[in-house]
Amino acid sequence: MRLDTDPYLSRYADRARDLAASEIRALFAVVNRPEIVSFAGGMPDTAAMDLDAVAQLTAEVVRDHGHTALQYGGGQGREELREQLVEVMARGGAPATPDELLVTVGGQQGLELVAKCFVDPGDVVLAEGPTYVGGVGALSSHQADLRHVPMDAEGMRTDLLEEALAALKREGRRAKYVYTIPNHQNPGGVSLSEERRVHLAELAEEHDLLLLEDGAYSLLDFEGHVGTSLRSLVPDRVVYVGTMSKTFAPGVRTGWIAAPTPVRERLVVLREAADLCPGNLTQLVVERWLTTQPWEAQVKEYRALYAEKARTMLDALEAEMPAEVAWTRPSGGMFVWLTVPRGIDTSALLAKAIVNRVAYVPGRGFFGDGQGGDALRLCFSYASVERIREGVGRLAELLQGELALLRDVFGADAPELAGRRDEPGITGGGQGGGGTSRDPGPGWGVA
Amino acid sequence: MSTSPHVAVLTGGMSLEREVSLRSGTRIATALTEGGLAVERIDVDRDLVARLGAGGYDLAVLALHGAAGEDGTVQSVLDLLGLPFSGSDALASALAWNKPIAQGVYAAAGVRVPDRIVLSQLAFRELGASAVVDRVAETLGLPLVVKPSTGGSSLGLSVVTTAAELPAAIVAALSYAEAALIERFVPGTEVAVTVLDGRALPAVEIVPKGDRYDFAARYTAGRTDFHVPARLDEAAAAACEAAALAAGAAAGARHLYRADLIVDADGAPWLLEIDTCPGMTETSLAPMAAEAAGVAFPDLCRTLVDLAVRDRAAA
């Protein structure tokens, strides 16, 4: 007798049929245990929040607007909140009007809705390589042909973007859009230089491009510097995705999309089909947070806290890491991108890392094409300063040991063991891992 | 003891197979609770001994996979606490956990196991073993299966078809264990024989839809076809049963265990390993075999409880 463990298999849509259990996802089940110093999840340090203030305003929301808070709302989101979110965008240098906004359930829903709105199976979307793991997931679930543009310390190499666009043109194809996180990119930790922002805007005009600008980390520059928003340069060519997760808290699941009106109208209908409307309760909480609390002071506090944590992590990396390892030096945001010699497979190494009580996100999750086996992402925003030192120490020891092992197994002069510090770019390409391929994304359930 | 024992289902822990273990544990606990038993699920951590000491439990059902749960560690602690538990005792668990040692024991008991070589991290670090890696392929032939010497769920397992791929595969396996077990690849039909209280249940044949039975194929419903009983002729089926029982006896395994085998083109079974705490998830093999033998999942769980109680005196 043949046993059918999934009798629904013949019914699945193409986008769901190939979804599979993932080793990495399974390993993440251990990561949240307190024994482990986790640099994995991209989590804000909500310990910095004034919980009494949040408790009070939440109580006020229920007391003063209880019936509204517990009722359905409009698909576009509350107008009063959109007015406030426009102010938040303005602080990040991105102009918008409340009517252009659509309130979403976190920035993630924004990325997914934009993919749903624009991507047919096989459509090309360009993005930084590496790019946000949830962005990869949103695009994979709509079967996009995701192609990556390498980065260096100044963000996306717009010269290489230009080449990619020319190559697409020769193929008779075009990119549906270019997804970019210009400020303190997740996971690269680097920002797009001002010159390249202008170049990107020029390319958008020249090639009739649509840009998806993800502003998640726009207000998290350690010095308070605000980069020029792409939306301020070519507003008609930019769909902007924002989030309250990094400036307030991810638990309220509040983000937004700012889009040209025809796009926004379609997005509202698509969102209504997905979840009808954003929750009024959390919208009112965010609204009240923005109108009654010193939210900018809170952002400033996050910035100062993350600056200290970033410094701690960078100092520890400098002091502890073997010479063959390279990393980016963020001036904001929440992440450091670390590149190891090509002989090390960071997906396979995660198991050993967990046994050594430290965790990261393997680089492959940030690519749609299996690259990234020789890189990993470290999040510095969540762990305490002491835990950061401890965790970097464990990771350095692990990498020292792994390099020694590789020298022992491959021989000391193996080209796979060459250091990466002098290489241009924040990571090499390469299908790291060779014969031991570990599952790449889409989506391991981490932010 | 009252007629309705108070059961601790041990699950989770720090193991790399934590997620699978949580799935097994939840499923067992639900089945026993629905069967009318007082059940608590315990996620194994530093408080385990204190919790078991204070909890007034009559026995523990083990749903632990991976180190600490399957290698005899928990079993030794439970022995000290005087708490009966399901599954193999500490010694048999420790033995089966170490695949190279276990294969030696199975071979000595007359069970056919693949030709193999073990290379530990120590061999590379202190003995310069990289100089002899080339000989592995010469000695065993290609293709080869490279896996960690301990652990389950196919984690860290690779199949290499050229000698050049061997070093990377060894390194990947060493991410999961102190030593890499390198076996001659035996082509054939993949079969699992579950043994419940000394009785072999119908063999389950595993036909992955992709190229192999890896982690995704194991734990994604629909990724693998299973045939129960396995489509083997009578002689091959009997040989599989005999191999599973002989290997289990040699290791001293008890209650419930699963033997993984390959049946080659001549119908000869090759034993790969014995799992003393087999998966109990929706896609796991032992529950499938039990079902085919007329033992529904709740009854299988209840049997584990009864076996733990029965063998209390023997422990």
Side-chain angles (χ1 to χ4, degrees), chain B residues 240-310:
Chain B
C240 285
E241 263 189 28
L245 290 168
R254 61 169 199 179
H255 295 178
L256 177 73
Y257 62 87
R258 193 193 74 227
D260 296 340
L261 309 111
I262 304 276
V263 179
D264 69 17
D266 301 327
W270 297 76
L271 191 104
L272 302 179
E273 63 181 276
I274 280 184
D275 190 332
T276 54
C277 199
M280 298 283 270
T281 71
E282 290 78 2
T283 58
S284 293
L285 300 157
M288 273 180 214
E291 189 89 34
V295 183
F297 188 73
D299 300 329
L300 176 61
C301 297
R302 179 68 211 212
T303 303
L304 290 178
V305 168
D306 294 342
L307 289 171
V309 172
R310 183 195 70 190

Side-chain angles (χ1 to χ4, degrees), chain B residues 153-171:
Chain B
S153 292
S154 302
L155 293 169
L157 182 145
S158 341
V159 177
V160 304
T161 50
T162 66
E165 298 165 63
L166 202 49
I170 290 172
V171 169

Side-chain angles (χ1 to χ4, degrees), chain A residues 185 187-189 310 313-314 317 326-330 334-338 376-380:
Chain A
Q185 202 245 12
M313 180 172 277
L314 292 172
L317 289 168
W327 58 88
T328 56
R329 287 166 177 76
M334 296 166 33
F335 306 105
V336 170
W337 181 254
L338 197 118
L376 57 91
R377 186 190 77 177
L378 300 175
C379 170
F380 53 75

Side-chain angles (χ1 to χ4, degrees), chain B residues 8 27 32 53 72 74 90 122 141 164 180 188-189 201 203 217 221 231 243 249 251 257 306 308:
Chain B
R27 198 159 175 246
L32 290 176
V74 164
L122 219 54
T189 306
L201 305 178
R231 298 166 299 176
Y257 62 87
D306 294 342

Side-chain angles (χ1 to χ4, degrees), chain B residues 173-295:
Chain B
L174 291 177
S175 283
Y176 293 85
E178 273 299 308
L181 170 61
I182 308 162
E183 289 172 351
R184 185 175 71 82
F185 178 82
V186 181
T189 306
E190 220 165 326
V191 162
V193 176
T194 300
V195 176
L196 178 61
D197 193 23
R199 176 167 77 106
L201 305 178
V204 180
E205 179 185 345
I206 301 153
V207 186
K209 290 178 182 169
D211 49 350
R212 63 196 171 88
Y213 192 47
D214 57 10
F215 186 89
R218 275 171 191 263
Y219 297 111
T220 310
R223 277 260 170 145
T224 301
D225 281 334
F226 300 98
H227 298 270
V228 197
R231 298 166 299 176
L232 301 170
D233 62 40
E234 240 171 76
C240 285
E241 263 189 28
L245 290 168
R254 61 169 199 179
H255 295 178
L256 177 73
Y257 62 87
R258 193 193 74 227
D260 296 340
L261 309 111
I262 304 276
V263 179
D264 69 17
D266 301 327
W270 297 76
L271 191 104
L272 302 179
E273 63 181 276
I274 280 184
D275 190 332
T276 54
C277 199
M280 298 283 270
T281 71
E282 290 78 2
T283 58
S284 293
L285 300 157
M288 273 180 214
E291 189 89 34
V295 183

Side-chain angles (χ1 to χ4, degrees), chain A residues 1-3 5-6 9 18 20-23 26 29-30 33 35 348 351-352 357 402 406 408-410 438, chain B residues 14-15 18-19 43-45 124-125 130 156 171 174-176 209 215-216 220-223 225-228 288:
Chain A
M1 183 186 68
R2 182 176 160 272
L3 275 190
T5 51
D6 190 351
L9 199 62
D18 292 337
S22 147
E23 286 182 38
V30 200
R33 294 277 304 238
E35 298 89 340
K352 213 185 251 185
R357 304 289 184 259
E402 194 66 5
L406 285 164
D408 291 340
V409 176
F410 283 95
R438 291 293 185 283
Chain B
M14 287 294 290
S15 143
R18 173 179 171 81
E19 194 199 27
D43 189 351
V44 172
D45 62 14
F124 289 104
R125 189 163 66 229
S130 70
V171 169
L174 291 177
S175 283
Y176 293 85
K209 290 178 182 169
F215 186 89
T220 310
R223 277 260 170 145
D225 281 334
F226 300 98
H227 298 270
V228 197
M288 273 180 214

